[in-house]
Amino acid sequence: MRKFELQLIDVLKIQSYSGDFMHMSNFICKKIEALGLEYTKDKLGNIYVVKGDSDVYPTMVCHIDTVHKYNPNYKVFQAGRNIFAVDKMDCARLGVGGDDKVGVFMTLKMLEDRDVFKAAFFVDEEVGCVGSRDCNFDFFENSSLVLECDRKGDRDFVSDISGTKLYSNEFSQSLAPILKAFKRQEVSGGMTDVLEIAYNTKVCVANMSCGYYEPHSDEEYVNIDDVHDTYLLCSEIYDEMGYTLWRVSEDRTCGYGYKYWGYGGYTSKYSSKLMFDDIYDDPYIDAKKEDVGHCHDGVNCPVCNGVQTAYDKGYSELYCFECDNWFTEQEFLLMTGKF
C-alpha cells in the first residue's frame, strides 16, 4: 500500500495547466518508457500506449491538464490519509490538481499492473476537451470498454452525460453486481473526455468518482483510501468485463445540445434566451464557493440538487460548485422537465 501512496504522490507533485502541460507530458512519457513500453503522440500532444498482444484491450483514458496555474512554491504534503498542496513560503493552501492527476495516476498504475491494456492521455480537457475532441478515435476500435477517473467524491459512476448514454443496458446489467459491491451509484455527470469517445464511437465508456475533493479550488485534496478503492473497482471491472467488446447499438444522444470550449472561444449547436439570474459574470474562471449562495430564483442543480450555483451571463450557462457541472439553459430545461 505504501508503494501505491508514493506513486500517487509522485504524480500529484507534477504541476500542469491547460495549454502548459509539458512537465506532466514528459513525466508520463518517462514513466511509460520505464515500463519498457512505447508510445505515440498526435499533433495535439495526446499520448497513446498499447501494452500486450491481444484482439481486445481494456482501456483507460485521462486528461493531463488541471485548472491550477504554476506556482514556484508549490509543495505536496500528506496528512493522515489525505494529500494536499501549499505554498511553502506562506503556507497558503493550493489546489493539488487531483482533477485529473488522480486519473493520470490511475492510468499509469493500470499500465504497470496489467499485462494487456490500452491507455490515452489527453491534453486540455479543462478548456473544452480539446485533446479528446480531435483524438485518434480508431485507437479505440478494439477496446473492450473505456473507463475514466475524472469526478470528485467516492460514490458516483457516471452512466450518461447531458442526455448521452455512455454505455448499453447490457453493460449496465453486467456491471450492477460490481457497483453494488463497491457501493457505487449510477448518476448523470458533467462533460469529460469519454463523452467525446461516446459521440464518435460505439464503445461503452464510463466516468467515475476517484477520491479527489473540492476540485477547481485552493482547498482541493485527495483521499488515498478512496483512490485505492477506485483502483480496486476499475480492476474488478477489467477482470470481469474487460475482454468482451462492449458496444452501444442504439443512438446514444438525446438532443440536449452540445457545447465546445476552446482557445478559439465558445460556440454552440443551439441558441437560447437568458433564463437564470446573473449572479456572477464568470464563475468558471474566478468564482469560489464563498462568492455565491442560493440562486436568486431558487435554481438548484438538476444533478445533485445543490444550491451553490452561479449563472454565467456570457455563455448562458449554470454552474454547480457542489458537483462541478455546467448546464446550458436547454440542458437544464430538459433535465428538469421545465419546458
Side-chain angles (χ1 to χ4, degrees), residues 1 4 105-106 110 149 153-156 178-179 181-184 208-211 223-237:
M1 185 65 174
F4 185 95
F105 162 75
M106 200 74 67
M110 290 294 171
C149 297
D154 66 343
R155 286 291 172 258
D156 294 348
I178 302 174
L179 296 186
F182 282 87
K183 299 180 181 179
R184 297 281 178 136
M208 71 196 76
S209 299
C210 57
N223 182 271
I224 297 168
D225 294 331
D226 292 343
V227 175
H228 189 254
D229 184 74
T230 304
Y231 170 80
L232 296 177
L233 168 64
C234 293
S235 297
E236 184 75 10
I237 294 172

Side-chain angles (χ1 to χ4, degrees), residues 152-163:
K152 73 173 185 177
D154 66 343
R155 286 291 172 258
D156 294 348
F157 196 88
V158 178
S159 60
D160 71 272
I161 298 174
S162 298

Side-chain angles (χ1 to χ4, degrees), residues 204-224:
C204 288
V205 303
N207 186 29
M208 71 196 76
S209 299
C210 57
Y212 62 75
Y213 297 85
E214 305 292 345
H216 294 202
S217 77
D218 290 339
E219 289 72 39
E220 184 182 26
Y221 67 95
V222 172
N223 182 271
I224 297 168

Side-chain angles (χ1 to χ4, degrees), residues 86-258:
V86 302
D87 185 311
K88 64 184 180 182
M89 298 302 293
D90 61 13
C91 295
R93 286 284 297 275
L94 299 172
V96 74
D99 176 9
D100 189 32
K101 295 181 194 176
V102 171
V104 171
F105 162 75
M106 200 74 67
T107 307
L108 287 171
K109 189 64 176 169
M110 290 294 171
L111 272 173
E112 177 184 6
D113 293 349
R114 306 193 70 84
D115 294 330
V116 173
F117 202 68
K118 270 191 172 186
F121 301 81
F122 294 128
V123 303
D124 292 346
E125 184 267 357
E126 296 289 1
V127 289
C129 295
V130 172
S132 56
R133 190 171 71 218
D134 292 317
C135 74
N136 174 19
F137 293 107
D138 290 340
F139 180 77
F140 305 102
E141 183 177 1
N142 58 358
S143 293
S144 56
L145 56 95
V146 179
L147 300 180
E148 184 166 19
C149 297
D150 185 26
R151 188 173 175 87
K152 73 173 185 177
D154 66 343
R155 286 291 172 258
D156 294 348
F157 196 88
V158 178
S159 60
D160 71 272
I161 298 174
S162 298
T164 296
K165 291 182 63 175
L166 299 185
Y167 49 78
S168 65
N169 293 334
E170 293 77 14
F171 184 93
S172 180
Q173 291 169 5
S174 296
L175 184 66
I178 302 174
L179 296 186
K180 182 178 180 180
F182 282 87
K183 299 180 181 179
R184 297 281 178 136
Q185 59 184 355
E186 291 180 303
V187 300
S188 298
M191 184 178 69
T192 191
D193 300 298
V194 288
L195 178 60
E196 297 292 345
I197 299 172
Y199 270 119
N200 290 278
T201 76
K202 291 292 185 180
V203 182
C204 288
V205 303
N207 186 29
M208 71 196 76
S209 299
C210 57
Y212 62 75
Y213 297 85
E214 305 292 345
H216 294 202
S217 77
D218 290 339
E219 289 72 39
E220 184 182 26
Y221 67 95
V222 172
N223 182 271
I224 297 168
D225 294 331
D226 292 343
V227 175
H228 189 254
D229 184 74
T230 304
Y231 170 80
L232 296 177
L233 168 64
C234 293
S235 297
E236 184 75 10
I237 294 172
Y238 289 138
D239 288 342
E240 296 296 323
M241 303 174 61
Y243 296 93
T244 298
L245 290 174
W246 295 96
R247 298 295 183 264
V248 176
S249 58
E250 66 270 25
D251 183 7
R252 306 202 232 207
T253 60
C254 296
Y256 279 17
Y258 183 53

Side-chain angles (χ1 to χ4, degrees), residues 284-300:
Y284 183 81
I285 297 174
D286 295 317
K288 305 290 186 182
K289 284 188 175 180
E290 58 267 23
D291 294 326
V292 297
H294 294 266
C295 280
H296 294 185
D297 289 335
V299 178
N300 288 18

